[in-house]
DNA sequence: ACGAATTGTGATTCACTATTCACAATTATA
DNA sequence: TATAATTGTGAATAGTGAATCACAATTCGT
């Protein structure tokens, strides 16, 4: 059966989406032109009408991921005011996203995607640092408005924020989805708040605990 | 030039070590029989005198990784008393042994290492959870002796501890060694202490800061 | 020192996958 | 409607890397 002739812009979208789905299911290494083509419903060679080579597909996948990650942050900035609530919202959003789409850590932290291509590595680095700088920005705002300690190093805080997500993603990945991402996020969040929020805030919450007990 | 004839036990060690180094440098996907052989100083086919197939090499690499991780913890337990000092010592130790730590996320996120082998994934899972349970044990001891808050969930704390190492390793990897792992560890540690140590401890250090300023 | 076992080597096979190409079908354009 | 442009197809090519094998060099047991 012959595939319906479809304009290249649409096909490109289909191809990138299919690639992302396949990566989520089987990883970057297992991603093959044949696999993508089959998922799209065309023959492998037809894929080359829309992409010059496999590398270009991977680049497009990276672009898609970057867009999704950053739109995540933008969304949260719009919906939620205040540094700490924003960070929490972002954390929970990631907890949800990772279980929905585990392709993100697989792609961003896969080695296969920058095999022998330093510029690709730079691109991945740019995605990560770009994301981190957004978080860092939120932290800096928190420091200015007094909700986050002055002696917190913003970069460190952003990396530690990533540290709540990344290991959890690892565990989730390795345990075949047998790790409760959301529970971890809920448990880790108050601890993280103690990490970075001002002493006044911590002491208040401590007093409250004392009164209760 | 002909390689020196060497007994298979020694070669096996050389091969596994070389493989781990190569993984740390380039990732699992780039790991080839030819690459390992070259590093060891033998010809590719000679490698099959010591391992039946590549998969067996990967299994041995996992065993080595596990052994090194756990011996790390054991060592710290011997040298250092007290939960918090032990955790800090472990953190700094990891910061120093980056090349191995770097291999960890690379291995974990590599799909190549699981390709068509579910039992391999279980093995990786066992290594990580085994390591985490050791950390968790330290945390529990800290809770018992009162240096760590009672309301800290030990599992969560151990995952967050991993969260200080993993993202840093990834960043270091992606930025071509352009990320100061030790600085991150030094910055992250006091924040992590605030995360988990008892309020009394935090308040005392807060008072001290107040007196100073 | 001599045969057997061990280890190393180069050539070769084999499977897999990206990529190309000539040609066919479809759609757009004039 | 006729022709050019676009997209799809199957076959063929080429490069890669794991694995095998016959044979050579080395070491070990005796």
């Amino acid at each position: 059966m012959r595939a319906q002739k479809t304009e290249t812009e649409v096909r490109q979208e289909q191809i990138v989406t299919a690639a992302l789905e396949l990566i989520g299911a089987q990883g970057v290494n297992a991603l093959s032109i044949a696999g993508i083509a089959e998922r799209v419903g065309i023959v492998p060679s037809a894929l080359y009408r829309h992409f010059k080579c496999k590398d270009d597909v991977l680049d497009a996948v990276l672009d898609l991921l970057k867009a999704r990650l950053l739109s995540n942050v933008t969304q949260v900035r719009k919906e939620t005011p205040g540094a700490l609530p924003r960070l929490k919202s972002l954390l929970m959003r990631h907890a949800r996203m990772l279980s929905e789409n585990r392709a993100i850590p697989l792609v961003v932290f896969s080695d296969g995607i920058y095999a022998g291509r330093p510029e690709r590595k730079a691109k991945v680095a740019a995605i990560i640092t770009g994301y981190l700088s957004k978080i860092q920005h939120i932290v800096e705002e928190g420091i200015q408005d007094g909700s986050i300690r002055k002696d917190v190093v913003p970069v460190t805080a952003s990396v530690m924020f990533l540290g709540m997500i990344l290991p959890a993603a690892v565990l989730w990945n390795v345990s075949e989805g047998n790790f409760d991402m959301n529970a971890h996020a809920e448990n880790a969040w108050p601890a993280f708040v103690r990490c970075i929020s001002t002493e006044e805030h911590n002491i208040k919450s401590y007093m409250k605990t004392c009164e209760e007990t």
Side-chain angles (χ1 to χ4, degrees), chain A:
Chain A
M1 179 187 54
R2 197 179 180 88
Q4 175 157 353
K5 195 171 177 179
T6 309
E7 57 182 353
T8 197
E9 285 76 17
V10 176
R11 282 287 190 230
Q12 284 172 342
E13 264 194 47
Q14 293 176 340
I15 289 168
V16 174
T17 305
L20 192 59
E21 288 167 359
L22 283 176
I23 287 173
Q26 309 162 8
V28 180
N29 310 18
L31 186 71
S32 68
I33 294 291
I36 301 173
E38 188 186 12
R39 199 171 181 87
V40 172
I42 56 179
V43 112
S45 59
L47 192 144
Y48 289 87
R49 295 286 177 207
H50 315 292
F51 284 94
K52 198 176 124 277
C53 59
K54 190 182 178 183
D55 275 330
D56 287 7
V57 177
L58 287 179
D59 275 329
V61 167
L62 283 186
D63 288 336
L64 178 59
L65 273 189
K66 180 180 181 179
R68 287 200 184 169
L69 267 183
L70 293 191
S71 90
N72 228 11
V73 182
T74 310
Q75 199 72 10
V76 165
R77 287 193 74 92
K78 269 186 195 158
E79 290 173 0
T80 315
L84 290 179
R86 272 176 182 165
L87 289 177
K88 169 148 199 192
S89 168
L90 204 51
L91 175 64
M92 299 316 287
R93 192 179 276 255
H94 276 297
R96 252 181 286 124
M97 264 186 83
L98 282 181
S99 48
E100 282 166 15
N101 188 359
R102 63 203 201 110
I104 293 177
L106 279 175
V107 165
V108 172
F109 303 111
S110 157
D111 50 327
I113 203 158
Y114 34 66
R117 243 158 284 261
E119 74 277 7
R120 184 79 56 69
K121 200 165 193 171
K123 194 168 186 172
V124 173
I127 292 178
I128 299 178
T129 56
Y131 178 74
L132 282 180
S133 75
K134 294 260 181 193
I135 301 202
Q136 195 179 326
H137 188 220
I138 297 181
V139 172
E140 281 162 354
E141 288 171 342
I143 293 179
Q144 285 194 335
D145 72 19
S147 61
I148 293 182
R149 299 166 56 102
K150 287 196 198 72
D151 62 350
V152 162
V153 183
V155 191
T156 304
S158 66
V159 176
M160 286 187 78
F161 182 79
L162 188 60
M164 284 193 292
I165 301 166
L166 189 50
V170 170
L171 285 171
W172 193 82
N173 178 41
V174 122
S175 68
E176 307 284 2
N178 217 21
F179 175 82
D180 192 338
M181 228 10 233
N182 283 301
H184 170 71
E186 290 287 5
N187 286 333
W189 176 249
F192 183 71
V193 167
R194 278 199 299 278
C195 271
I196 63 169
S197 72
T198 47
E199 292 287 0
E200 286 79 5
H201 179 282
N202 284 335
I203 290 179
K204 272 180 202 156
S205 75
Y206 172 62
M207 297 299 186
K208 210 158 95 186
T209 322
C210 286
E211 284 166 16
E212 283 167 0
T213 53

